[in-house]
Amino acid sequence: MDLGLKGRTALVCASTQGLGEATARTLAAEGANVVVCGRSGDRARQIAGELPGAIGIAADLLAADGPERLVAAATNALGAIDVLVLNGPGPRPKAATDVTAQDVTEAVDALVRPQQRLVALTLPAMRERGWGRVLAIGSSGVAAPLPQLASSNLARAALAAYLKTLAAEVAADGVTVNLLLPGRIGTERVARLDAAAAERTGRSPAEVAAESRRTIPAGRYGRPQEFAAAAVFLCGAPASYVTGVALRCDGGLIRNL
């Protein structure tokens, strides 16, 4: 299948590891010119150097002008953004009864404010050209809130509601807006969550992971490449009639439709 991404410019946030990196690499394999970015500029440039037509940029999206500086550097190097992949690190595990006002502020500052600003900066050019893709890497907590991840559940649900509203407003302009919700994918983030659960419960991380795998119908953690394949399809031309969707990539973990 030709995904129609050759020559397109894709900005993948937080793409120096995990799901962001896998998505950036898969977009590059489909012929997109990819902006790899993260707080570690060296790591971003290293990954970009391994990909055709890619550049690496150091970016701190939590800084006051972080989104503006990133988009300016990306467009100066590669032109207007066709594909925007929103991504960012999740808050620390915490029960809902333990969440503080500061936790709420930090979660929104990490997972809502910069994403909204990135959309505002890149969307006008997409609408003018009549083609664009906005994809958020979310969490299965959007579909079913996850225990001990109250701050993440709160902020990711807020972003999902914003993007769902946006999708209806820009669909007629040729711009799709979707979310892709990972379940238990074998990344450093999931390893850290397993370690935190092990510490809370007095078990080993291996025991926690084994128990977690038993809750997944597929019987295993997903691979980042599997997630990236779904992400890149949603960014491609054949998915032009798919918008306002929260698609799960979770091995059947969430049991509702």
Side-chain angles (χ1 to χ4, degrees):
M1 181 182 294
D2 181 2
L3 297 183
L5 289 168
K6 292 179 181 177
R8 298 284 188 187
T9 296
L11 169 56
V12 185
C13 299
S15 47
T16 55
Q17 62 180 352
L19 301 180
E21 179 183 351
T23 300
R25 289 184 180 277
T26 307
L27 281 164
E30 291 295 328
N33 301 315
V34 177
V35 179
V36 179
C37 66
R39 291 186 179 183
S40 171
D42 289 342
R43 176 62 176 161
R45 287 184 286 272
Q46 175 191 338
I47 294 171
E50 300 170 3
L51 307 176
I55 63 167
I57 299 175
D60 181 2
L61 294 178
L62 301 188
D65 60 348
E68 285 80 3
R69 294 179 64 181
L70 173 58
V71 172
T75 55
N76 286 340
L78 296 177
I81 305 301
D82 299 297
V83 175
L84 173 64
V85 180
L86 301 170
N87 186 32
R92 295 183 300 274
K94 186 168 276 192
T97 51
D98 295 329
V99 169
T100 66
Q102 183 63 28
D103 292 327
V104 173
T105 297
E106 291 177 357
V108 171
D109 285 347
L111 293 173
V112 181
R113 293 186 193 279
Q115 286 80 357
Q116 184 278 328
R117 190 63 191 142
L118 287 165
V119 170
L121 291 165
T122 58
L123 186 62
M126 294 182 187
R127 300 179 79 179
E128 183 178 347
R129 294 192 305 277
W131 200 98
R133 300 288 183 266
V134 177
L135 177 68
I137 296 177
S139 163
S140 56
V142 172
L146 299 170
Q148 296 296 325
L149 290 177
S151 296
S152 176
N153 293 335
L154 182 156
R156 293 189 191 279
L159 179 62
Y162 164 70
L163 294 175
K164 177 62 175 177
T165 307
L166 177 67
E169 296 176 5
V170 300
D173 299 320
V175 179
T176 69
V177 182
N178 293 295
L179 296 95
L180 185 57
L181 311 181
R184 307 292 287 181
I185 310 291
T187 63
E188 292 182 14
R189 163 74 172 170
V190 168
R192 288 194 298 271
L193 292 175
D194 285 347
E199 185 175 352
R200 285 196 309 271
T201 60
R203 294 175 293 168
S204 71
E207 290 172 323
V208 170
E211 181 180 345
S212 182
R213 285 193 294 270
R214 286 194 290 271
T215 70
I216 303 170
R220 61 178 177 85
Y221 284 2
R223 294 183 290 272
Q225 295 78 11
E226 293 173 308
F227 179 91
V232 173
F233 171 76
L234 289 173
C235 293
S240 58
Y241 204 58
V242 180
T243 195
V245 166
L247 175 68
R248 297 195 301 274
C249 181
D250 66 359
L253 174 64
I254 302 300
R255 302 307 174 96
N256 57 290
L257 289 173

